[in-house]
């Protein structure tokens, strides 16, 4: 039986990331990766407010990108 909370590891990062992103776009907020990625993006944006030389969009992208990477490659 498939566990939908853990992404599949096919060995190729780009293929796995593309499949995960397609699932997130297709399922929206019901996809198990969407909420954690958005939460980490918001945390990155909040951290960017207090850090000098880091803009809010950069913090948002860094936080969301980190969590998306950890969802595709958890180890």
């Amino acid at each position: 039986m498939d566990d939908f909370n853990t992404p599949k590891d096919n060995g190729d990062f780009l293929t796995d990331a593309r499949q995960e992103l397609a699932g997130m776009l297709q399922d929206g907020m019901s996809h198990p990766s969407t909420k954690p990625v958005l939460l980490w993006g918001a945390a990155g944006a909040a951290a960017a407010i207090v850090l000098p030389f880091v803009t809010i969009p950069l913090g948002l992208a860094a936080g969301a990108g980190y969590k998306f990477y950890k969802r595709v490659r958890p180890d």
Side-chain angles (χ1 to χ4, degrees):
M1 180 147 98
D2 289 333
D3 181 16
F4 295 107
N5 289 327
T6 17
K8 294 183 178 22
D9 185 3
N10 296 327
D12 181 25
F13 176 74
L14 291 178
T15 303
D16 295 340
R18 188 178 312 130
Q19 289 176 350
E20 187 71 11
L21 184 60
M24 289 172 64
L25 292 173
Q26 188 175 30
D27 296 341
M29 293 300 285
S30 64
H31 193 276
S33 293
T34 304
K35 291 177 186 174
V37 168
L38 290 177
L39 182 67
W40 275 78
I49 292 172
V50 286
L51 294 172
F53 304 112
V54 178
T55 62
I56 293 174
L58 180 63
L60 177 93
Y66 171 76
K67 190 58 177 180
F68 181 75
Y69 176 78
K70 293 308 282 182
R71 287 291 298 173
V72 175
R73 291 289 184 262
D75 293 330

